[in-house]
Each structure stands twice: as C-alpha cells, then as structure tokens.
Amino acid sequence: MVRASRLSVAATLALAGLGALLLGVSACGRRSGGPLPIALIGDRTALDVGCVRLSPAARTLRGATVEGLVAFDAEGHIVPALADRWIITDDGQSYIFRLREGTWPGGSRITGETAAAVLRTALAQLKGTPLGLDLAAIAQIRVMADRVIEIDLAGPVPDLLTLLAQPELGLPYARRGAGPMALGRRGASTELTMIPPEKRGLVPEEGFSGHVRPLVVDLLPAAKAVQRFNDGTADLVLGGRVDSFPLAQEAALARGNVQLDPVIGLFGLLVETENGFLAEAPNREALALAIDRDAIIAAFNIGGWQPTTRIVSAGVEGDAGTVGERWVGVAPEQRRALAAERVTRYMASGKPAPLLRIAAPGGPGTRRVIDRLATDFKAIGIVVVQVGEDTPADLRLLDATARYGRASWFLNQLACSVHKPACNIAGDQLLAQARQTADLRERARLLGEAEAEITAANPYIPIARPLRWSLVRAGVTGFAPNPWGWHPLPPMALLPK
C-alpha cells in the first residue's frame, strides 16, 4: 500500500508552530458510545453533495457518504475505500486498483466496468477546474478484470492517490454514495451513521454496533458553532478559517481547545478584472508592494503564522528554489513610495483615484484583514471597500488550502483555463509543458519558470499561508491536525476498542 505524499521536512518544520498551538483549558469529553455532537461551519446547501463544485462543508459530508477508490484517515494518510489494494508501475505512469468485494447502493455488485464508468464521469465533470488540471495527465481508465481497473497516465502524477481521495472523486452509483456513512435526520440536525458491513455487501463484523457511534452534525454560521461549543452542546467545531478565527480565540478563554492545522495554500487577493487601475501588471504589483503583511499577521497574534510574497509555498515538492520572496532587503517605506508613484502616474492623465471593491466573506477576522489593507492602500492613494463574496468585484480574498504538497497545485489555481483575468499566457504554456514532462527535475525547472512569469503578471497578490482551525473538546477521538486541514468524519464515528 502507498501512503499519500507528505510535505517536505523543511515545509513541515516551518509549519510546526501552527500545528503545536494550543489555547485554553480542557473540558470533559462526552460519554463513550453516545452520539458525538459536531458543529460544522457552513449552511444547508452543504447537504447537496451530488455536485462536484463543493463548499468546504459539502466536501466534509460528501467525503463521509460517497466513497472513492481511496480515502483519507484522520492524519491525512491514504487508506483503502472502494479499492482494497493497488500497485504502481515502476515508471509511475500506471496505477492498478483491485476493487473490494461488495455492492453499490441498491444491491448491484461493484465491478470494474461500473467503477470505471463512474470515475470517467467524475473526471469529465471536473474539466475547467483546478482539480481537473491536477488530473489532466490521466490518459485512460481501463477495465482489466471483473474487479480490477487501471489508470494510465500521460506523465507521472506522484500525488494521484491523494487526488483520488478528494471528495470530488467520490464515486456515486445511480446518484447514491457507497458510504461508509449514511446521512439521515435527527430532529433539526443531520445524523451520520456507519453502514453495517453486511449492508455494503461485505462480511458481517461481530459486535459492529458496539464499536461505532452516530455523529450528529449541525450546519451553522461560525458564531453559532462556537456558541454551541461554549454551551457544551457540541464537542467539536469544524471548518474554521481566518474570517472566524477571533471567535475561536474568545472561545478558548472559556473552555475547550483550539487546534490549528499545519496547512499550505493560497491566502491573498485574486485579481477579478483587468479594467481601470488593474489593467496593467505594474499597477497590480503596486498593491503587492503596499501591503504590510507583518501587520496583518500581528493583528491575529498567532505564533508560527508566516507572511509570504510568493505564490508557491517554499519547500514543497517541485519547488526548484529559483523563485524566492520578493523585495528582500527593500524597506517597507521604499516599497510604499514606489507603489504611490505608480498611483500618481495613473492619475496624471486626469483619471480619478482608484476605488477597488474587495469581495470577501463576513466575519471579524475578515474585518481585521480588510481594515489593514484599507490602511495600506490609502497610504498610496487607493480606496477600498468590502463587498459580499458573491458580488462582482475588482479583487477577491482567496483562501484555499493545497490538495497536495507540490508546486503544481499552486500554479494550477492561476491557470488561464481556470481564471482568465490577468492570466499570463507564457506562464500558462510553461505550466502545460510541465504537466507533460516525465523527468521530475525538468518539470521542476519548468514550474519555476512558470512561477516567475505568473508572479510578474501579478494576477494574485499573496499575503500569507491559509489558516485552518477547529475546536476540539478533550476526550474526542478520531480527530488529528494534518497538512491538508481535512478532517474526515468516519474516523470520528469509530470507538476505541
């Protein structure tokens, strides 16, 4: 069995401060065997797990109810799901999966033909998304035997297992997921229960019901989720991000623990239009120059949370090291003066001072970020206003965790087929070449060149790595901080034996 690709040692050590952070005091866990009450930050739309463009909350629920070939355990390692074993050929360009004995919902046997058909459909639905680009090297899905399928690649995809474990690659049959959990109702709440092995076409397990517990999940706004934890009516809060982190800090002072995941990804401003001031790359760079990232980080008082001016997190696999942090050795006042000069030049022809709309989620954490950005941009002659997440805007606060720890994930988020405004054609072509290159050293070189080109175009203005938090009461089992910020529900339903 092959485990998921992990972050490099350098990247893991750099993030250790985040993972180790523990605030507040412990409280008693719920009695063993009773339902585990969970507050999941999100809204009722997360219950629609049938699509492939999922919200974070919907990904959590889909991951529990719609199995793929493989899955994640609590620590982010790859474990069997519909496939109970697999092998990878020496050249890394073919993955062969043996499917488990069992049935789809409704009683039909799980076969290579049915699994391959559903997987092809899932891949087709992901076209035009960053995840679709991550999987673009899949050339063919072949049925080799009754319960054996092979995925052939046009080039190596070292993180294919990690990608196949994503909830979007769950394989519903006849629009129904194969588990391992069933979704139902408990009053106004959502209840998830482990499906007995015999109902999945598997061998019955003696004492199964005594080794599992139901999960009672409520989809709530962040403030209500934290209140549930404070009231003692939830033992776990999942789905915390920067926008709601101040609420977690307040909760930790009362009772409970804040757990931070050592994630990487993108947290910054995504350019949404090439009109007006944002039409030229030097003007977009002026925004990047003006931001006081240290001040934004300081507003949250989190040890180990680091600012960055790079698109790609340093130290990940495929980072050739040719692109470093920008403007090293340049004093903040010099950077701000250069940015102000570009705004002045823009207005010299009679154009009004730039007014930029930033689309961002509500929440006290977002307010802290936007307030700091407003101060920084005002100093160079730019006014900003915050608008809702779904409102047309000039800039968008992007907050996304990496699905796997390689440079390609970061750059695929900014590919022209995914995000058109201010995309860089030269960088996009280099990125496409890298996807087709089998030699990993050459691929790293191409990715480094692509990052340099895309960075110069400034379609995205980095601020820091993302922040992911949970509230976890003492005694809760099945939860573990991990590099993906992903907390699967099935391990939480298993009772220690």
Side-chain angles (χ1 to χ4, degrees):
M1 188 181 301
V2 181
R3 284 189 167 184
S5 171
R6 305 302 302 274
L7 302 183
S8 68
V9 172
T12 303
L13 290 176
L15 290 164
L18 284 177
L21 181 65
L22 191 65
L23 300 175
V25 295
S26 297
C28 296
R30 203 159 298 271
R31 68 184 185 277
S32 176
L36 177 65
I38 299 174
L40 179 60
I41 296 175
D43 56 39
R44 301 293 297 177
T45 60
L47 293 172
D48 180 13
V49 298
C51 61
V52 294
R53 297 173 188 265
L54 302 169
S55 68
R59 291 183 69 230
T60 298
L61 295 177
R62 183 183 171 99
T65 57
V66 186
E67 277 189 312
L69 292 175
V70 293
F72 289 118
D73 68 8
E75 296 179 342
H77 301 151
I78 293 297
V79 294
L82 289 177
D84 58 15
R85 66 193 71 176
W86 53 88
I87 60 172
I88 305 170
T89 56
D90 290 341
D91 62 3
Q93 294 192 213
S94 181
Y95 287 64
I96 301 170
F97 297 88
R98 180 177 177 84
L99 306 175
R100 64 171 170 82
E101 287 277 9
T103 58
W104 296 106
S108 299
R109 283 185 64 245
I110 295 173
T111 65
E113 289 284 357
T114 54
V118 178
L119 181 56
R120 291 185 193 109
T121 298
L123 292 172
Q125 292 174 331
L126 288 169
K127 287 184 177 179
T129 69
L131 186 54
L133 285 181
D134 294 330
L135 294 160
I138 293 179
Q140 188 178 21
I141 300 169
R142 299 191 296 131
V143 179
M144 298 183 67
D146 181 47
R147 290 191 293 116
V148 180
I149 65 173
E150 180 177 13
I151 298 178
D152 292 328
L153 305 173
V157 183
D159 299 282
L160 183 64
L161 292 174
T162 302
L163 291 166
L164 292 175
Q166 302 298 322
E168 291 86 346
L169 270 296
L171 304 180
Y173 183 74
R175 299 187 178 183
R176 294 172 62 190
M181 305 191 81
L183 190 150
R185 304 291 303 164
R186 179 184 285 232
S189 304
T190 298
E191 183 176 61
L192 289 109
T193 54
M194 296 296 291
I195 302 173
E198 62 271 19
K199 291 190 176 181
R200 302 171 67 203
L202 301 171
V203 177
E205 181 181 327
E206 185 177 354
F208 177 80
S209 62
H211 298 148
V212 297
R213 62 181 170 186
L215 308 180
V216 179
V217 179
D218 285 294
L219 292 153
L220 299 167
K224 288 186 177 180
V226 172
Q227 188 60 52
R228 289 281 183 94
F229 190 86
N230 286 344
D231 291 344
T233 54
D235 284 349
L236 192 64
V237 175
L238 299 175
R241 301 156 76 93
V242 172
D243 58 323
S244 54
F245 186 71
L247 300 172
Q249 291 175 307
E250 294 170 7
L253 297 176
R255 58 170 79 92
N257 295 327
V258 177
Q259 295 278 350
L260 296 185
D261 291 300
V263 297
I264 55 174
L266 299 176
F267 180 70
L269 297 174
L270 185 66
V271 175
E272 292 280 281
T273 180
E274 293 181 83
N275 297 325
F277 182 75
L278 298 178
E280 302 293 334
N283 291 346
R284 299 192 292 268
E285 185 186 41
L287 301 182
L289 284 162
I291 296 174
D292 186 343
R293 292 164 179 80
D294 289 331
I296 292 175
I297 297 296
F300 290 85
N301 191 29
I302 304 172
W305 193 26
Q306 297 294 324
T308 186
T309 58
R310 283 192 64 183
I311 297 171
V312 175
S313 289
V316 299
E317 296 289 339
D319 176 19
T322 55
V323 178
E325 294 290 336
R326 305 172 79 180
W327 313 300
V328 174
V330 180
E333 56 271 19
Q334 291 177 287
R335 289 164 49 180
R336 190 160 290 174
L338 178 58
E341 179 184 330
R342 293 179 186 177
V343 177
T344 301
R345 188 182 308 135
Y346 171 79
M347 297 170 57
S349 59
K351 296 174 183 175
L355 171 64
L356 302 179
R357 299 161 298 166
I358 302 178
T366 300
R367 188 70 262 160
R368 291 183 189 181
V369 174
I370 297 297
D371 284 349
R372 283 303 321 169
L373 291 174
T375 298
D376 294 339
F377 292 160
K378 182 179 179 180
I380 64 170
I382 294 175
V383 175
V384 300
V385 293
Q386 180 183 346
V387 298
E389 281 187 282
D390 300 323
T391 305
D394 305 296
L395 301 165
R396 184 170 304 279
L397 189 61
L398 178 62
D399 186 356
T401 54
R403 304 287 187 112
Y404 57 97
R406 291 184 185 271
S408 54
W409 179 87
F410 296 84
L411 300 175
N412 282 343
Q413 310 306 303
L414 303 174
C416 293
S417 61
V418 172
H419 188 72
K420 290 287 186 185
C423 84
N424 181 268
I425 294 175
D428 209 54
Q429 291 172 340
L430 288 163
L431 188 53
Q433 290 178 42
R435 293 191 202 104
Q436 300 299 319
T437 301
D439 183 88
L440 294 181
R441 184 172 296 181
E442 175 64 7
R443 180 182 290 192
R445 184 189 68 81
L446 290 168
L447 290 173
E449 292 183 9
E451 183 185 359
E453 291 283 353
I454 296 171
T455 298
N458 293 283
Y460 165 73
I461 300 162
I463 295 175
R465 294 179 178 183
L467 183 69
R468 294 293 182 269
W469 62 269
S470 304
L471 291 178
V472 187
R473 205 176 302 284
V476 169
T477 58
F479 174 95
N482 65 76
W484 317 123
W486 170 248
H487 301 291
L489 297 178
M492 301 175 195
L494 304 179
L495 295 173
K497 295 183 180 180

